């Protein structure tokens, strides 16, 4: 059976991603000073304005002005003429103390909120991620690399961009790239024909293997025409508005909770990382070629109220056996401890590692900070 599947990504200069990086920049600053900080930081951006708010309990001090301006400058918004830049934007902060009603459940080691989280892995790519989302991330990341490190190739690039990749499948096997869509912000007075030719040559063909492209692959580059007005000047941004981009590109369900700006006592973040860690190790161990894990929590309660495994018929052992094995090892101190404290300890999540995760996806990453991508449970699963 042949079918198409599409995923999208956005660059670090997209207004929603600007917010995610600021929120995680605040989180990292506080964790650097006080690893026990509890942070729920939200951000809103629009033309010339950054608003930071949320709840914080910490022994540290957060210099919101400096963090915001440093993040915006690192992204590349440094020209006053484009409607948003690091030096002239207004920065407002309304951070305040965390509710004691929430704290009383977290203090005892319970989850900071109720909810369900999903983790997923498949054998389509070396990263054990779905191919459409991995290519989408790599395309916008390549645009940023050219803009920051190889500016002579495409000197007109600006920070805001989006990508979308459609893969054609035969059964569960990806066989070709059907369509690539890229929209990139650019300087004035650049022809659309030049932008399209450059994007195909320097971006698409550098990212996507030649054997997956053919004469029928469709390319849409800046399909609406000019894209000069972008970033927070072109559209407002909010923390947590790109949750599907952050995860699996729509291939797996999403529990609904965003990641950025939240310290690891929030299971929206930490349990989603733990579920990915388990799913990836199951696929890497050869027990399945596709695996989805769902976990669910109640506020103030240590242990998950449910654990579910789905291998979509690819498992070499029954899903119920995998579930029982995970449950057996998921108690406090177990090899797959799924209590909030256990996840934090096992994945070493009290480090200032999060701003890097706020662009180009939280999963399928190879950097050392991404402990939930390690394959340290393969030997354990191979005992099944």
């Amino acid at each position: 059976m042949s079918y198409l599947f599409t995923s999208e990504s956005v660059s670090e200069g997209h207004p929603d991603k600007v917010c995610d990086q600021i929120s995680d920049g605040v989180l990292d600053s506080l964790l650097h000073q006080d690893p026990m900080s509890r942070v729920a930081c939200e951000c809103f951006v629009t033309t010339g304005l950054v608003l930071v708010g949320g709840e914080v309990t910490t022994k540290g001090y957060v210099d919101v002005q400096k963090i915001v301006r440093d993040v915006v400058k690192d992204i590349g918004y440094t020209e006053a003429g484009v409607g948003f830049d690091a030096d002239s934007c207004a920065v407002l902060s309304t951070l305040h103390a965390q509710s004691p009603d929430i704290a009383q459940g977290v203090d005892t080691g319970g989850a900071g909120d109720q909810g369900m989280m999903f983790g997923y892995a498949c054998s389509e790519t070396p990263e054990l991620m779905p191919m459409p989302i991995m290519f989408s991330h790599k395309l916008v990341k390549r645009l940023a690399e050219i803009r920051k490190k190889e500016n002579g190739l495409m000197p007109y690039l600006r920070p805001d961009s989006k990508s979308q990749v459609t893969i054609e499948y035969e059964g569960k096997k990806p066989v070709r790239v059907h369509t690539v869509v890229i929209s990139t912000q650019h300087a004035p007075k650049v022809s659309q024909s030049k932008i399209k030719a450059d994007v195909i040559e320097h971006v698409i063909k550098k990212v996507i293997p030649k054997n997956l492209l053919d004469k029928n692959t469709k390319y849409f580059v800046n399909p609406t025409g000019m894209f000069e007005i972008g970033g927070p000047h072109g559209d407002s941004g909010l923390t947590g508005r790109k949750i599907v981009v952050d995860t699996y590109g729509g291939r797996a369900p999403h529990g609904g909770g965003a990641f950025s700006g939240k310290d690891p006592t929030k299971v929206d973040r930490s349990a989603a990382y733990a579920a990915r860690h388990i799913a990836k190790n199951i696929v890497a161990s050869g027990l399945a070629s596709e695996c989805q894990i769902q976990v669910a929590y109640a506020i103030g309660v240590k242990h998950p109220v449910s654990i579910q495994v789905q291998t979509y018929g690819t498992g070499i052992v029954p899903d119920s056996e995998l579930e029982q094995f995970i449950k057996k090892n998921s108690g406090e101190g177990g090899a797959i401890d799924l209590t909030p404290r256990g996840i934090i300890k096992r994945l070493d999540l009290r480090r200032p590692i999060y701003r890097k995760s706020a662009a180009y996806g939280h999963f399928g990453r190879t950097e050392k900070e991404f402990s939930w991508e390690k394959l340290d449970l393969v030997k354990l699963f191979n005992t099944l």
Side-chain angles (χ1 to χ4, degrees), residues 197-333:
D198 284 350
V199 165
I200 291 173
E201 181 65 27
H202 301 307
V203 181
I204 296 173
K205 290 186 176 179
K206 295 293 184 182
V207 167
I208 299 177
K210 183 185 293 187
N211 66 300
L212 292 173
L213 301 171
D214 58 38
K215 64 181 181 180
N216 295 316
T217 299
K218 299 175 184 178
Y219 303 102
F220 295 101
V221 179
N222 284 13
T224 62
M226 288 191 304
F227 184 5
E228 294 179 15
I229 301 171
H233 185 46
D235 193 7
S236 61
L238 287 169
T239 299
R241 202 157 58 175
K242 286 290 178 283
I243 57 177
V244 173
V245 170
D246 284 344
T247 53
Y248 307 101
R251 178 64 67 81
H254 195 293
F259 299 155
S260 290
K262 296 177 180 177
D263 75 85
T265 66
K266 279 76 172 175
V267 284
D268 278 343
R269 180 168 220 160
S270 55
Y273 291 174
R276 160 65 179 174
H277 185 223
I278 295 168
K280 183 177 182 180
N281 277 266
I282 287 173
V283 172
S285 71
L287 290 174
S289 59
E290 184 178 15
C291 182
Q292 176 185 292
I293 305 291
Q294 188 209 50
V295 291
Y297 291 83
I299 188 168
V301 178
K302 292 181 182 181
H303 299 282
V305 297
S306 70
I307 300 170
Q308 192 242 10
V309 178
Q310 171 66 264
T311 62
Y312 303 95
T314 70
I316 65 171
V317 298
D319 293 349
S320 58
E321 191 173 331
L322 280 169
E323 282 179 21
Q324 290 305 313
F325 186 78
I326 292 167
K327 289 175 183 176
K328 177 184 172 183
N329 289 277
S330 66
E332 289 183 80

Side-chain angles (χ1 to χ4, degrees), residues 23 26-27 30 37-41 55-57 261-263 266:
S23 293
V26 170
L27 172 62
L30 290 172
S37 294
R38 294 192 190 146
V39 182
C41 179
E55 300 81 46
V56 171
T57 300
K262 296 177 180 177
D263 75 85
K266 279 76 172 175

Side-chain angles (χ1 to χ4, degrees), residues 13-294:
H14 186 280
D16 294 331
K17 280 288 145 201
V18 172
C19 291
D20 285 344
Q21 290 168 92
I22 290 170
S23 293
D24 274 338
V26 170
L27 172 62
D28 280 354
S29 176
L30 290 172
L31 289 176
H32 179 73
Q33 300 169 67
D34 176 9
M36 301 304 290
S37 294
R38 294 192 190 146
V39 182
C41 179
E42 311 291 343
C43 182
F44 166 78
V45 295
T46 188
T47 303
L49 173 66
V50 178
L51 173 62
V52 178
E55 300 81 46
V56 171
T57 300
T58 184
K59 296 177 182 177
Y61 166 75
V62 58
D63 187 341
V64 174
Q65 289 274 339
K66 184 178 188 309
I67 290 168
V68 168
R69 298 190 193 283
D70 285 349
V71 169
V72 173
K73 188 175 293 184
D74 286 348
I75 291 168
Y77 288 113
T78 55
E79 299 177 50
V82 301
F84 189 80
D85 80 282
D87 293 327
S88 66
C89 64
V91 179
L92 304 178
S93 173
T94 60
L95 291 170
H96 58 86
Q98 184 186 54
S99 163
D101 292 348
I102 296 174
Q104 66 183 347
V106 179
D107 288 342
T108 59
D113 202 352
Q114 70 176 41
M116 66 285 191
M117 300 83 206
F118 291 89
Y120 179 83
C122 64
S123 58
E124 290 178 17
T125 63
E127 299 88 356
L128 302 184
M129 286 283 287
M131 187 176 285
I133 189 66
M134 287 309 300
F135 281 159
S136 295
H137 286 325
K138 289 178 179 181
L139 288 169
V140 285
K141 193 171 186 179
R142 172 66 181 157
L143 282 168
E145 288 171 353
I146 291 172
R147 179 171 55 84
K148 292 180 174 182
K149 299 176 182 178
E150 304 174 50
N151 191 248
L153 281 180
M154 301 169 71
Y156 50 81
L157 289 178
R158 285 181 172 167
D160 194 358
S161 62
K162 301 180 78 170
S163 64
Q164 184 172 283
V165 176
T166 301
I167 300 292
E168 183 176 333
Y169 288 81
E170 292 286 351
K172 290 183 177 293
K173 182 181 179 182
V175 294
R176 62 183 290 270
V177 174
H178 180 276
T179 303
V180 181
V181 183
I182 292 183
S183 295
T184 181
Q185 185 187 12
H186 58 86
K189 300 179 181 178
V190 184
S191 72
Q192 296 306 302
S193 60
K194 177 169 178 55
I195 294 171
K196 182 173 183 177
D198 284 350
V199 165
I200 291 173
E201 181 65 27
H202 301 307
V203 181
I204 296 173
K205 290 186 176 179
K206 295 293 184 182
V207 167
I208 299 177
K210 183 185 293 187
N211 66 300
L212 292 173
L213 301 171
D214 58 38
K215 64 181 181 180
N216 295 316
T217 299
K218 299 175 184 178
Y219 303 102
F220 295 101
V221 179
N222 284 13
T224 62
M226 288 191 304
F227 184 5
E228 294 179 15
I229 301 171
H233 185 46
D235 193 7
S236 61
L238 287 169
T239 299
R241 202 157 58 175
K242 286 290 178 283
I243 57 177
V244 173
V245 170
D246 284 344
T247 53
Y248 307 101
R251 178 64 67 81
H254 195 293
F259 299 155
S260 290
K262 296 177 180 177
D263 75 85
T265 66
K266 279 76 172 175
V267 284
D268 278 343
R269 180 168 220 160
S270 55
Y273 291 174
R276 160 65 179 174
H277 185 223
I278 295 168
K280 183 177 182 180
N281 277 266
I282 287 173
V283 172
S285 71
L287 290 174
S289 59
E290 184 178 15
C291 182
Q292 176 185 292
I293 305 291
Q294 188 209 50

